[in-house]
């Protein structure tokens, strides 16, 4: 399978490093000359900074979820108000280009916060964002890397089945591994067959035990604790620039996924 068009969704418990992994995946693909769309679908949006955008640039990014005029125009409903009729399949194909910003060969789309209500809630904002996410995964031609929040509840079945690989970033801790197992179970319910784990902040002598604890999720890369990541953050640099040991492990994970897709 050609690298162009690769779809990878990256998830994990907060603070485990999924945004770092997402950003490095984007930079590795862009470094090959592949057109890459980075989608920040995490409400705690940090992918722009991890990709090297300046803080002022990130602050100026238009966020789709907060564009009330757009939501009303496409769904027919006033954002934030309950008890309204709204369009369930809004037109979204022309939206991305209005919000995409570019840096060092990577195009970034920041979706913004998906507001959550009670079980079964189908608010206009969520409908627009879910429809847009489906379009990005199913219809776009470039490689798409999605930095997601923990879980996969904002993926529909069609969207999920169009993702080539689902990567769960874990750290050596019971809560992180429990999140990984939950994500894998939900992914299986949606027909996602390729779910992989990437360990972060793990000591070399703990890798085997972590691999055993995660079964049947394959552990495809193990990133050790990297002081250089702290230094990169302090200096306002990206892990891709200052953390070769992390880049090497993410490259290993990418190679594993590509090899699996070729089988």
């Amino acid at each position: 399978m050609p690298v162009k068009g690769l779809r990878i969704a990256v998830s994990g418990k907060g603070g485990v490093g999924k945004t770092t992994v997402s950003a490095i995946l984007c930079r590795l693909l862009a470094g090959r000359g592949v057109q890459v769309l980075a989608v920040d679908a995490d409400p705690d949006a940090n992918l722009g900074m991890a990709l090297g955008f300046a803080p002022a640039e990130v602050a100026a990014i238009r966020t789709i979820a907060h564009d009330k005029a757009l939501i009303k125009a496409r769904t027919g409903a006033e954002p934030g108000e309950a008890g309204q009729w709204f369009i369930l399949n809004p037109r979204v194909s022309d939206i991305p280009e209005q919000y995409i910003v570019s840096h060092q060969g990577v195009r970034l789309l920041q979706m913004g916060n998906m507001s959550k209500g009670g079980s079964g809630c189908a608010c206009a904002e969520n409908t627009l964002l879910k429809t847009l996410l489906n379009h990005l995964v199913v219809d776009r031609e470039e490689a798409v890397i999605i930095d997601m929040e923990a879980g996969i509840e904002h993926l529909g079945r069609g969207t999920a089945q169009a993702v080539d690989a689902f990567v769960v970033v874990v750290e050596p801790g019971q809560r992180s591994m429990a999140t990984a197992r939950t994500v894998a179970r939900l992914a299986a319910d949606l027909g996602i067959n390729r779910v992989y784990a990437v360990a972060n902040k793990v000591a070399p002598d703990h890798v085997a035990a972590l691999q055993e604890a995660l079964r049947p999720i394959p552990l495809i890369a193990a990133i050790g604790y990297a002081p250089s990541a702290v230094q990169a953050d302090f200096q306002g640099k990206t892990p891709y620039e200052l953390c070769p040991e992390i880049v090497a492990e993410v490259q290993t994970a990418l190679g594993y996924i590509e090899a699996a897709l070729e089988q």
Side-chain angles (χ1 to χ4, degrees):
M1 178 178 177
V3 174
K4 182 179 179 181
L6 187 66
R7 275 92 167 100
I8 300 176
V10 184
S11 185
K13 187 178 71 67
V16 296
K18 66 181 180 59
T19 297
T20 295
V21 171
S22 299
I24 293 175
L25 284 170
C26 291
R27 294 291 298 272
L28 287 170
L29 290 170
R32 300 179 185 175
V34 176
Q35 291 184 340
V36 180
L37 177 62
V39 180
D40 196 340
D42 190 335
D44 185 20
N46 292 303
L47 185 55
M49 295 284 285
L51 286 168
F53 286 85
E57 291 178 299
V58 174
I61 292 175
R62 297 172 65 201
T63 302
I64 296 169
H66 298 151
D67 191 334
K68 295 184 178 180
L70 173 71
I71 295 168
K72 184 175 182 179
R74 296 304 171 91
T75 68
E78 194 68 43
E81 295 187 9
Q84 302 179 85
W85 293 94
F86 56 86
I87 298 170
L88 293 175
N89 57 341
R91 179 171 59 89
V92 297
S93 59
D94 63 324
I95 291 177
E97 299 305 324
Q98 303 175 43
Y99 294 84
I100 287 173
V101 292
S102 300
H103 181 74
Q104 294 185 336
V106 178
R107 286 151 50 86
L108 171 67
L109 179 65
Q110 190 167 294
M111 297 185 68
N113 187 22
M114 296 186 180
S115 57
K116 296 181 180 178
S119 177
C121 174
C123 64
E125 297 95 317
N126 274 339
T127 295
L128 181 67
L129 291 175
K130 286 183 178 181
T131 304
L132 177 59
L133 189 58
N134 183 79
H135 165 71
L136 296 173
V137 173
V138 176
D139 298 326
R140 301 284 294 195
E141 294 183 355
E142 69 267 64
V144 179
I145 307 297
I146 310 168
D147 181 16
M148 304 176 66
E149 61 179 323
I152 61 173
E153 54 274 357
H154 49 288
L155 286 181
R157 182 171 296 275
T159 314
Q161 291 177 345
V163 172
D164 294 310
F166 207 100
V167 173
V168 187
V169 182
V170 299
E171 59 186 6
Q174 291 300 319
R175 288 182 297 167
S176 178
M177 289 188 287
T179 297
R181 287 189 286 266
T182 298
V183 167
R185 186 180 69 253
L186 295 173
D189 290 343
L190 291 175
I192 303 175
N193 297 318
R194 295 185 179 92
V195 180
Y196 307 109
V198 170
N200 191 23
K201 301 179 241 180
V202 59
D205 55 347
H206 292 164
V207 172
L210 185 60
Q211 187 172 27
E212 183 64 29
L214 286 169
R215 292 187 187 279
I217 308 170
L219 181 63
I220 62 173
I223 302 167
Y225 176 74
S228 59
V230 178
Q231 189 67 18
D233 190 32
F234 182 76
Q235 294 181 9
K237 302 292 185 180
T238 68
Y240 184 79
E241 296 171 292
L242 295 186
C243 308
E245 66 277 36
I246 299 179
V247 173
E249 287 298 327
V250 177
Q251 176 65 73
T252 297
L254 178 58
Y256 186 104
I257 291 169
E258 290 174 336
L261 292 173
E262 290 175 356
Q263 295 177 0

